[in-house]
């Protein structure tokens, strides 16, 4: 893995933590609205339309949102090299909890896509596609870590976390649409979801490719030669 520059690494971490805080705040707010709608409702806000579906499917929403809180907390910790190197046991066990939360989030998201869509077919298509891609990425990450393929595990975890974090990227995009006051929610929610998740996935791929190890041809030959040398019995080499 090629080390990233300090500045770029710091910027990436700031972006990840900022989005995780947005996601954590959104999930917490949703739980509060469901549990105490009178105190936290937004009846006078244009965004009040987004509360209707969640209120009608309270249990499904909680099943989706509560693991989402853990996702936003554990996700950045899973990516921390310091925690991986110093607290490997915590990394492994929290990783298992993280993957279980991801499975619950993806399953509930698929159910919500067809029951609570605000943006119609476009939003349903976006959430369905990215929920399935989210599941695929994290399944690949799990398979690779079981095979001790650490670098491939890292890449698929980054993809999966980036997609899950896309729900936080969607929030400021939706806020910009509300601020513009030119389109109704059912007209822009689909576009906002496609934009938010796609932006995160592109950013993840850019980061993976930037930090991916690039072995030179001569290096590959040296590694191959060393492997062949090790495979020859000691009696033959002597």
């Amino acid at each position: 893995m090629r080390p990233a520059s300090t500045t770029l690494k710091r910027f990436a971490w700031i972006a990840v933590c900022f989005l995780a805080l947005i996601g954590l705040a959104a999930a917490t707010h949703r739980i509060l609205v469901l549990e105490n709608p009178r105190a936290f409702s937004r009846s006078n806000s244009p965004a009040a339309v987004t509360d209707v579906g969640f209120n009608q499917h309270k249990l499904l929403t909680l099943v989706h949102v509560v693991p989402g809180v853990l996702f936003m907390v554990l996700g950045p910790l899973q990516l921390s090299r310091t925690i991986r190197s110093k607290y490997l046991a915590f990394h492994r066990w929290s990783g298992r909890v993280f993957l279980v939360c991801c499975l619950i989030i993806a399953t509930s998201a698929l159910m919500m896509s067809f029951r609570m869509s605000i943006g119609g077919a476009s939003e349903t298509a976006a959430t369905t596609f990215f929920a399935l891609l989210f599941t695929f990425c994290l399944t690949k990450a799990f398979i690779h870590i079981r095979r001790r393929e650490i670098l491939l595990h890292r890449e698929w975890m980054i993809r999966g976390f980036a997609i899950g974090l896309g729900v936080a990227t969607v929030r400021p995009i939706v806020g910009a649409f509300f601020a513009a006051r030119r389109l109704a929610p059912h007209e822009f929610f689909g576009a906002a979801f496609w934009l938010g998740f796609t932006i995160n996935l592109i950013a993840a791929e850019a980061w993976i490719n930037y930090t991916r190890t690039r072995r030179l041809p001569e290096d590959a030959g040296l590694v191959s030669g060393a492997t062949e040398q090790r495979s020859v019995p000691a009696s033959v080499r002597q």
Side-chain angles (χ1 to χ4, degrees):
M1 184 176 66
R2 185 174 68 179
S5 69
T6 303
T7 301
L8 188 58
K9 185 177 180 180
R10 185 179 294 116
F11 175 79
W13 267 110
I14 290 173
V16 167
C17 292
F18 177 69
L19 289 176
L21 287 174
I22 290 177
L24 189 60
T28 303
H29 177 262
R30 180 57 55 200
I31 294 171
L32 292 174
V33 170
L34 290 173
E35 295 302 321
N36 193 350
R38 292 186 178 181
F40 296 97
S41 65
R42 301 178 291 185
S43 56
N44 297 324
S45 170
V49 66
T50 64
D51 296 336
V52 176
F54 295 114
N55 295 336
Q56 291 176 346
H57 300 87
K58 179 178 178 180
L59 180 59
L60 178 57
T61 301
L62 288 174
V63 169
H64 181 73
V65 172
V66 172
V69 172
L70 287 174
F71 175 89
M72 294 298 173
V73 173
L74 294 178
L77 298 180
Q78 281 294 299
L79 298 180
S80 171
R81 182 180 299 178
T82 301
I83 290 178
R84 287 199 307 271
S85 60
K86 293 185 177 180
Y87 309 99
L88 184 58
F90 172 79
H91 173 76
R92 288 173 174 170
W93 280 103
S94 64
R96 294 184 179 98
V97 174
F98 179 78
L99 288 176
V100 171
C101 289
C102 290
L103 179 61
I104 298 172
I105 291 167
T107 303
S108 56
L110 287 171
M111 297 174 66
M112 295 168 73
S113 298
F114 295 93
R115 297 185 183 185
M116 303 163 54
S117 173
I118 298 171
S122 179
E123 181 188 341
T124 299
T127 51
T128 301
F129 173 77
F130 284 107
L132 293 174
L133 185 58
F134 176 69
T135 305
F136 174 78
C137 290
L138 293 169
T139 300
K140 290 281 288 183
F142 178 76
I143 291 172
H144 285 303
I145 198 59
R146 295 296 295 176
R147 295 174 178 172
R148 300 289 189 263
E149 297 168 340
I150 306 300
L151 293 180
L152 289 173
H153 166 73
R154 168 188 173 272
E155 292 185 2
W156 286 103
M157 281 294 291
I158 290 174
R159 291 186 182 102
F161 181 60
I163 293 171
L165 204 59
V167 71
T169 307
V170 168
R171 292 299 186 278
I173 296 174
V174 167
F177 274 113
F178 273 121
R181 296 175 179 267
R182 294 190 177 185
L183 297 173
H186 71 273
E187 295 177 301
F188 66 73
F189 253 72
F193 271 71
W194 280 108
L195 282 171
F197 287 109
T198 302
I199 288 170
N200 274 30
L201 189 55
I202 291 173
E205 287 299 327
W207 181 258
I208 289 169
N209 279 279
Y210 176 75
T211 57
R212 180 179 288 156
T213 301
R214 289 176 173 81
R215 183 176 293 149
L216 296 175
E218 56 270 24
D219 293 337
L222 288 172
V223 172
S224 176
T227 304
E228 292 174 0
Q229 182 73 6
R230 286 194 298 270
S231 67
V232 177
S235 59
V236 176
R237 291 202 303 268
Q238 292 173 355

